[in-house]
Amino acid sequence: MTAPLFESTITSLPLINKGKVRDIYAIDDEKLLIVTSDRLSAFDVVLPDPIPRKGEVLQAVANFWFDKLGHIVPNQLTGIDPETVVAPNERDQVRGRAVVVKRLRPLPIEAVVRGYVIGSGWKDYQQTGAICGIALPAGLKMAAKLPSPIFTPATKAAVGDHDENVSFATAQANCAADLADALAGTGKNGAGLADEARIAALRLYEEASAYAKGRGIIIADTKFEFGIDKAGTLHLIDEALTPDSSRFWPADQYVEGQNPPSYDKQYVRDYLETLDWGKVAPGPKLPADVIARTSAKYIEAYERLTGQTL
């Protein structure tokens, strides 16, 4: 096994952004290289310890879903081998963990879909009887399945900041303001694109959930990101239905009223909740056993979803 990659050090291409997990490099005016590191963020804080094989799992899972769900909405993929766009001595940094994508203009929202009442949605429901202003039936228990999936957008936070749940009307207004220049002359508008994203996100979630259920996994919730090309065409970007962007539960251990065990980084979140830490940077170091068990969770998620081994 290769050593974990906390951050890439590619010098043959200009680095244009370093996110919580991904490092983004410019190839040319039309394409980007995205390298998925082994960094892990929890509560919007990047932790100091990498998780072995995490980046490899995330990229493999995302590629699996991009292929399976490509009929719903176009995506960012170009099909270009990442090893062909970097220097020979940098190929080990991109092998199995990178992708060459189209340059697209991101929508300024996280497209969150929830199928179950858990996490911040459970807290919101307990206080208001609703999630992001969407009224729900009274008396739901923790982890209850919703009557139908709901779209609950959030703002995109910078590294170190927290995403904020917003109403759909606010998401439409944000898209209208942010994308006005990019959409000039296309006949499209940001509010309409927010609605396209909502429809696509719900379809993606519903089809993925049905597939995952057949593999013994419940996708409790997930978040998508979308972007547009120069014609204003919506594309699925970033990652899709990975253990970082979703909450995966083993179906055979699901019990309504309890917080189910998880295939995603919830294991790390649960550990961090036991610490006296204010959920602000810098994040605490993780014990070796938490790192090892988290790595195993990521790998198991991929293998159960796809029926393949890494």
Side-chain angles (χ1 to χ4, degrees), residues 105-121:
R105 174 75 170 264
L107 271 62
I109 58 170
E110 302 273 9
V112 180
V113 181
R114 302 173 189 270
Y116 293 75
V117 186
I118 200 69
S120 63

Side-chain angles (χ1 to χ4, degrees), residues 170-234:
T170 298
Q172 287 184 302
N174 288 351
C175 287
D178 188 81
L179 300 175
D181 61 321
L183 294 172
T186 66
K188 297 193 173 187
N189 61 72
L193 278 166
D195 195 46
E196 284 186 44
R198 179 184 63 83
I199 294 168
L202 287 166
R203 277 199 63 194
L204 290 164
Y205 174 81
E206 287 166 354
E207 288 203 22
S209 294
Y211 168 83
K213 184 178 180 181
R215 304 294 305 180
I217 291 177
I218 293 170
I219 304 177
D221 52 39
T222 193
K223 67 177 179 179
F224 301 104
E225 294 198 34
F226 294 96
I228 55 171
D229 61 15
K230 292 178 181 178
T233 302
L234 193 74

Side-chain angles (χ1 to χ4, degrees), residues 140-300:
L140 294 177
K141 297 179 181 179
M142 175 192 287
K145 185 176 182 179
L146 294 169
S148 59
I150 58 175
F151 181 71
T152 58
T155 59
K156 283 186 180 179
V159 175
D161 293 332
H162 296 282
D163 297 339
E164 179 184 352
N165 293 338
V166 295
S167 68
F168 181 59
T170 298
Q172 287 184 302
N174 288 351
C175 287
D178 188 81
L179 300 175
D181 61 321
L183 294 172
T186 66
K188 297 193 173 187
N189 61 72
L193 278 166
D195 195 46
E196 284 186 44
R198 179 184 63 83
I199 294 168
L202 287 166
R203 277 199 63 194
L204 290 164
Y205 174 81
E206 287 166 354
E207 288 203 22
S209 294
Y211 168 83
K213 184 178 180 181
R215 304 294 305 180
I217 291 177
I218 293 170
I219 304 177
D221 52 39
T222 193
K223 67 177 179 179
F224 301 104
E225 294 198 34
F226 294 96
I228 55 171
D229 61 15
K230 292 178 181 178
T233 302
L234 193 74
H235 287 67
L236 181 61
I237 65 170
D238 194 55
E239 61 183 323
L241 296 149
T242 71
D244 265 17
S245 64
S246 314
R247 211 181 304 259
F248 294 157
W249 295 336
D252 59 359
Q253 297 180 57
Y254 168 72
V255 178
E256 187 177 287
Q258 300 176 14
N259 190 2
S262 181
Y263 284 115
D264 56 31
K265 61 183 177 181
Q266 189 62 38
Y267 182 80
V268 173
R269 293 192 196 101
D270 291 344
Y271 165 74
L272 293 173
E273 289 280 21
T274 69
L275 304 180
D276 183 14
W277 172 54
K279 299 179 183 176
V280 295
K285 290 188 68 62
L286 298 175
D289 66 311
V290 171
I291 293 172
R293 291 179 69 178
T294 301
S295 178
K297 287 281 187 182
Y298 275 87
I299 293 168
E300 185 181 354

Side-chain angles (χ1 to χ4, degrees), residues 20 25 40 45 48 111 113 128 144 154 227 243 245 261 268 308:
K20 295 170 187 172
Y25 296 85
L40 185 145
V45 174
V113 181
T128 68
S245 64
V268 173
Q308 302 173 19

